[in-house]
Amino acid sequence: MCDSSYTKKANTRVGGVGTESEIIITNVYGQPLQNKIIPIIIEKDKCNIPVVPTYLKSKYGVDLSDSFNEYEFNKLLKDILEN
């Protein structure tokens, strides 16, 4: 779940989020076509750009930042159930 708090901790490798980031980075860069890590976007900045850690910016993500979006939610379910 990507918001500004998580993103700040992930980018600076602080606390548990920092440890999690180290694990995720290995998977993202070591296996670029993997799809087991799906960023869920729950916040956008004032320019309407998704707030995600740097290492996830190029990854496919699911945007749940607006009010309930059935299309995005169904994409997430499909990805989870097919993998």
Side-chain angles (χ1 to χ4, degrees):
M1 304 290 265
C2 300
D3 66 2
S4 55
S5 176
Y6 179 87
T7 296
K8 181 178 179 182
K9 291 175 185 176
N11 286 340
T12 58
R13 311 292 189 274
V14 173
V17 174
T19 302
E20 179 181 275
S21 298
E22 294 296 328
I23 294 166
I24 292 172
I25 288 169
T26 302
N27 282 292
V28 169
Y29 292 128
Q31 302 168 354
L33 299 178
Q34 68 80 29
N35 58 0
K36 73 179 184 177
I37 298 167
I38 304 168
I40 299 174
I41 300 154
I42 59 171
E43 183 180 344
K44 292 182 182 175
D45 67 14
K46 56 187 165 192
C47 296
N48 207 33
I49 296 171
V51 177
V52 296
T54 303
Y55 58 88
L56 293 176
K57 286 195 182 281
S58 65
K59 294 290 297 171
Y60 155 79
V62 175
D63 186 356
L64 298 178
S65 64
D66 297 324
S67 58
F68 183 76
N69 182 322
E70 187 173 354
Y71 174 76
E72 291 289 324
F73 184 75
N74 285 331
K75 277 191 346 186
L76 176 61
L77 286 178
K78 182 178 181 241
D79 286 340
I80 292 170
L81 296 173
E82 288 183 358
N83 293 315

